[in-house]
């Protein structure tokens, strides 16, 4: 274990947040010298009405690095009232100006990129590369707002196509739902809520964000950047605190839509509370990778390893179990182990580290219990398998039996899980038994098999010859079965944040459109 400890205790300084002066309104210094962040409501940086805070830990060494406000129902009500009052101010800004404001905001984020990267690394334990990728994705998302807005058009319906509406025309408008409640998970704490905030405000909605308590700070940095970019007060509000805040937002009568990303269980609870509202749910996933005998085996193995380990496996679109056809399985495993040799595990602040810690200790314990369960039931442990604190070693399991929990439950950790199957049909039978249906992928060089499998798998997306990735959302994504409802993506999320309004014009006063069918001679 000593060698293992060396790997992640890289002799670096104790993790600490040191932010640029630009963010100084967002926090003050607490008695212990650590930053105490405020919430952003109605354009002001305020404390919770209950005057309570909660600690924000870093998974790097499990120490407290900051405090955030422990918001409550009163704070949610305040944020929703501010959001409601701000609706006219965002509607009065022309779409082209809203786009420009997002472009300005993208520039501000780039200017303070290092602050965003540091916060993501420290509060979430992300490697530098993963944190930089997340910040760049938000910048790109803001720069691609023209693509979103191109979806916001209306329709003209000539009424004389129906006897009922003869003499009328209708214009179908797309209007904002009003206020969107955006509830986000810990794994992409900056990007995921941003991918809700951007289309919501672009389509002239106002927003109340509830970030994950495990990683609440990057959304506050985003609020500071949006404030600087000139978004009117009340258009964006960020309330930090426990899950009960999310529940309150979900049921609040002045919130018109809930866009939730998180686990399936919480998503179902949110859906119950948000009954009657527009609802978008991005929930848990279990992406199976199917590797067939005619695949490029080295390519498949390399992709499956990265797909399983990126962001320490804490991705809803992570490759979560690999179903490899028996005849090529030995060769595949050999290539997987070669790819694993290139993976560097340790303190995420160290340049070149690929896999850092998980979000907290209980996450590492949960992942390890899945690994132990598989081994007890007969899986062969080829690499890793140990954990300490928040760190779980990158692990490879082969011959995972059908009754192992890891074949069915979300892993959300750095494990390459390999189950051997007889053929394509057996692989498909396993995917169809899963309660999840978010992502999947297949490795084969046969066009007809690609197509047959892509059609057969019940999932929101099927990727051929690569691991699934939602990335910046240029391709739409979302789930079926227990993985969610609705689709996110550039030009897709915005569609769900608008409601149709039909404006009917009666043309009779102008003696238009009432022509009758000529009588048959
Ligand atoms: P989570 O525990 O479900 O939490 C998600 C958010 O919901 C957090 O902000 C949480 O607040 C809040 N919350 C908790 N209880 C609530 C309640 N009763 N009502 C309303 N909100 C409540 O999920 P997580 O552990 O942060 O994230 C991991 C999960 O997200 C995985 O299952 C992953 O697959 C999924 N995910 C899905 C996608 C996708 O695109 N489909 C993308 C990323 C992640 P607290 O943090 O304060 O508890």
């Amino acid at each position: 274990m000593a060698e293992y400890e060396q790997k992640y205790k890289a002799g670096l300084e104790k993790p600490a947040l040191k932010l640029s002066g630009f963010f100084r309104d967002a926090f003050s210094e607490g008695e212990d010298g650590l930053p105490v962040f405020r919430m952003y409501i109605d354009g002001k940086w305020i404390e919770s009405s209950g005057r309570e805070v909660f600690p924000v830990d870093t998974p790097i060494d499990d120490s407290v690095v900051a405090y955030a406000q422990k918001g409550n129902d009163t704070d949610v009500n305040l944020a929703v009232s501010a959001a409601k009052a701000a609706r006219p101010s965002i509607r009065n800004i022309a779409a082209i100006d809203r786009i420009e404001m997002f472009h300005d905001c993208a520039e501000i984020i780039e200017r303070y990129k290092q602050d965003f990267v540091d916060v993501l690394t420290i509060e979430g334990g992300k490697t530098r590369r993963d944190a930089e990728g997340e910040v760049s994705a938000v910048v790109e998302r803001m720069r691609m707002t023209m693509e979103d807005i191109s979806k916001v058009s209306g329709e003209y319906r000539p009424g004389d196509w129906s006897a009922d509406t003869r003499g009328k025309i209708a214009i179908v408008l797309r209007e904002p739902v009003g206020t969107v409640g955006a509830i986000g998970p810990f794994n992409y704490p900056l990007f995921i809520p941003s991918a809700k905030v951007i289309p919501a405000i672009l389509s002239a909605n106002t927003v109340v964000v509830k970030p994950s308590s495990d990683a609440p700070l990057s959304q506050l940095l985003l609020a500071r950047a949006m404030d600087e970019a000139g978004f009117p007060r009340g258009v964006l509000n960020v309330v930090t605190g426990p899950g009960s805040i999310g529940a309150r937002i979900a049921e609040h009568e002045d919130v018109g839509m809930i866009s939730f990303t998180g686990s399936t269980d919480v998503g179902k609870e949110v859906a119950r509370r948000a009954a009657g509202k527009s609802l978008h749910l991005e929930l848990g996933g279990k992406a199976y990778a199917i590797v067939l005998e005619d695949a490029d085996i080295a390519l498949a193995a390399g992709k499956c390893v990265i797909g399983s380990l990126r962001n320490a496996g804490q991705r809803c679109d992570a490759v979560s179990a690999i179903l490899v056809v028996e005849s090529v399985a030995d060769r595949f495993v050999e290539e997987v182990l070669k790819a694993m040799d290139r993976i560097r595990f340790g303190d995420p602040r160290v340049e070149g580290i690929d896999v850092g810690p998980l979000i907290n200790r209980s996450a590492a314990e949960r992942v390890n219990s899945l690994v132990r369960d598989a081994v007890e039931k007969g899986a062969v442990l080829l690499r890793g398998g140990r954990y300490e604190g928040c760190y779980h070693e990158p692990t490879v399991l082969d011959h995972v039996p059908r009754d192992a929990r890891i074949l069915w439950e979300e892993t959300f950790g750095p494990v390459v899980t390999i189950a051997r199957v007889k053929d394509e049909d057996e692989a498909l039978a396993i995917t169809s038994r899963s309660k999840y249906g978010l992502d999947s992928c297949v490795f084969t060089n046969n066009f007809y098999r690609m197509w047959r499998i892509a059609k057969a798998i019940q999932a929101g997306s099927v990727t051929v010859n690569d691991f699934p990735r939602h990335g910046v959302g240029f391709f739409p994504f979302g789930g079926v079965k227990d993985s969610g409802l609705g689709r996110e993506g550039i030009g897709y999320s915005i569609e769900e944040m608008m409601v149709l309004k039909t404006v009917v014009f009666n043309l009779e006063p102008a003696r238009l459109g009432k022509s009758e069918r000529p009588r048959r001679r």
Side-chain angles (χ1 to χ4, degrees):
M1 208 66 175
E3 170 225 350
Y4 168 54
E5 281 177 11
Q6 286 264 317
K7 276 189 181 164
Y8 68 85
K9 289 179 185 158
L12 297 172
E13 282 176 17
K14 205 176 150 32
L17 279 175
K18 296 183 191 103
L19 293 176
S20 308
F22 175 73
F23 296 101
R24 74 177 155 259
D25 288 349
F27 64 91
S28 53
E29 203 178 282
E31 282 169 14
D32 55 4
L34 295 178
V36 182
F37 282 81
R38 302 189 181 95
M39 298 187 284
Y40 183 70
I41 297 179
D42 202 15
K44 296 188 275 288
W45 292 97
I46 63 168
E47 290 176 1
S48 157
S49 58
R51 297 278 176 276
E52 280 188 85
V53 295
F54 66 95
V56 180
D57 306 324
T58 175
I60 294 173
D61 67 354
D62 218 7
S63 63
V64 177
V65 286
Y67 298 90
Q69 298 298 316
K70 191 171 175 185
N72 54 32
D73 285 3
T74 309
D75 300 316
V76 171
N77 294 343
L78 197 67
V80 175
S81 310
K84 188 179 179 188
R87 289 179 200 162
S89 57
I90 192 68
R91 286 186 182 210
N92 287 339
I93 298 175
I96 188 67
D97 295 326
R98 281 180 246 140
I99 288 178
E100 270 189 22
M101 289 164 88
F102 275 115
H103 288 184
D104 289 351
C105 191
E107 255 175 50
I108 295 163
I109 294 174
E110 279 208 311
R111 202 174 314 143
Y112 296 101
K113 185 168 182 178
Q114 201 50 52
D115 294 277
F116 282 91
V117 169
D118 286 349
V119 163
L120 289 174
T121 301
I122 290 181
E123 72 173 351
K126 286 188 184 253
T127 64
R128 308 301 299 184
R129 200 165 39 209
D130 286 340
E132 281 168 11
E134 186 165 352
V135 180
S136 301
V138 173
V139 167
E140 193 182 345
R141 187 73 180 77
M142 288 188 176
R143 294 212 164 120
M144 292 189 78
T145 40
M146 203 70 191
E147 293 280 326
D148 276 300
I149 219 88
S150 65
K151 279 264 182 174
V152 187
S153 58
E155 286 118 42
Y156 158 75
R157 303 276 295 167
D160 64 351
W161 285 50
S162 152
D164 185 42
T165 52
R166 195 195 302 237
K168 294 180 178 149
I169 58 165
I171 294 179
V172 184
L173 308 176
R174 280 183 169 73
E175 295 208 323
V177 295
T179 296
V180 174
I183 305 171
F186 75 82
N187 61 332
Y188 288 93
L190 177 64
F191 181 79
I192 288 177
S194 306
K196 302 177 187 304
V197 165
I198 297 165
I201 295 180
L202 203 57
S203 51
N205 289 289
T206 58
V207 188
V208 177
V209 177
K210 159 30 190 142
S212 159
S213 302
D214 276 314
L217 304 182
S218 61
Q219 277 307 302
L220 296 169
L221 267 52
L222 177 81
R224 175 67 190 96
M226 288 188 58
D227 185 85
E228 184 72 7
F231 287 92
R233 69 188 178 89
V235 167
L236 171 70
N237 305 275
V238 183
V239 188
T240 52
S244 55
I245 289 181
R248 178 67 194 128
I249 295 172
E251 64 195 10
H252 200 295
E253 62 189 14
D254 288 327
V255 173
M257 181 200 178
I258 293 295
S259 181
F260 172 86
T261 302
S263 60
T264 297
D265 287 349
V266 175
K268 287 184 174 176
E269 160 77 8
V270 165
R272 270 192 296 279
R273 289 182 184 268
K277 300 183 198 304
S278 301
L279 193 61
H280 185 153
L281 300 173
E282 289 288 339
L283 309 180
K286 182 84 194 167
Y288 294 98
I290 300 179
V291 182
L292 298 177
E293 55 274 43
D294 55 19
D296 176 335
I297 298 297
L299 174 108
K303 297 282 189 187
C304 285
V305 166
I306 301 169
S308 304
L309 302 185
R310 185 173 278 179
N311 208 32
Q314 300 170 116
R315 292 169 45 235
C316 55
D317 51 355
V319 169
S320 199
I322 304 159
L323 311 173
V324 57
V325 168
E326 185 66 63
S327 59
V328 289
D330 286 344
R331 205 146 51 84
F332 177 79
V333 170
E334 204 177 294
E335 294 291 342
V336 162
L337 295 180
K338 275 193 222 161
M340 288 296 288
D341 289 341
R342 297 190 287 272
I343 298 295
R344 291 186 60 205
F345 167 55
D347 189 314
R349 294 172 295 170
V350 175
E351 202 57 52
I353 287 292
D354 302 292
V355 177
L358 296 177
I359 189 67
N360 51 37
R361 276 174 185 267
S362 61
E365 279 159 19
R366 189 189 52 78
V367 170
N368 200 254
S369 79
L370 290 175
V371 170
R372 287 197 312 271
D373 170 76
V375 171
E376 277 159 21
K377 288 172 178 160
V380 179
L381 180 67
L382 295 177
R383 287 287 163 87
R386 294 175 298 179
Y387 78 105
E388 190 175 310
C390 306
Y391 290 76
H392 195 289
E393 284 181 320
T395 295
V396 179
L397 292 171
D398 190 9
H399 294 283
V400 173
R402 301 294 182 267
D403 60 344
R405 285 167 49 208
I406 203 164
L407 201 57
W408 308 104
E409 294 178 24
E410 257 196 304
T411 312
F412 243 62
V415 185
V416 180
T417 299
I418 302 168
R420 299 176 177 224
V421 292
K422 192 162 65 37
D423 54 21
E424 175 186 323
D425 288 342
E426 194 182 0
L428 281 173
I430 290 175
T431 65
S432 72
R433 255 184 69 191
S434 172
K435 67 174 186 163
Y436 295 112
L438 188 62
D439 288 282
S440 57
C441 60
V442 56
F443 292 87
T444 170
N445 281 327
N446 181 307
F447 174 79
Y448 299 106
R449 292 181 105 178
M450 287 171 194
W451 191 235
R452 189 167 61 231
I453 290 172
K455 296 280 282 177
I457 290 181
Q458 263 187 294
S461 75
V462 182
T463 300
V464 178
N465 287 336
D466 201 352
F467 60 87
R469 45 183 129 182
H470 298 171
V472 74
F474 190 72
F475 297 144
F477 63 89
V480 297
K481 300 200 269 186
D482 266 3
S483 289
L485 196 70
R487 291 293 175 270
E488 281 206 324
I490 297 174
Y492 294 89
S493 307
I494 200 163
E495 187 89 41
E496 307 203 4
M497 293 173 168
M498 310 201 82
V499 282
L500 298 185
K501 180 188 275 176
T502 309
V503 183
V504 179
F505 295 87
N506 179 9
L507 302 181
E508 273 177 322
R511 295 174 197 279
L512 288 171
K514 247 319 196 187
S515 60
E516 297 283 335
R517 179 181 165 179
R519 278 184 192 287
R520 200 184 289 182
R521 268 179 240 164

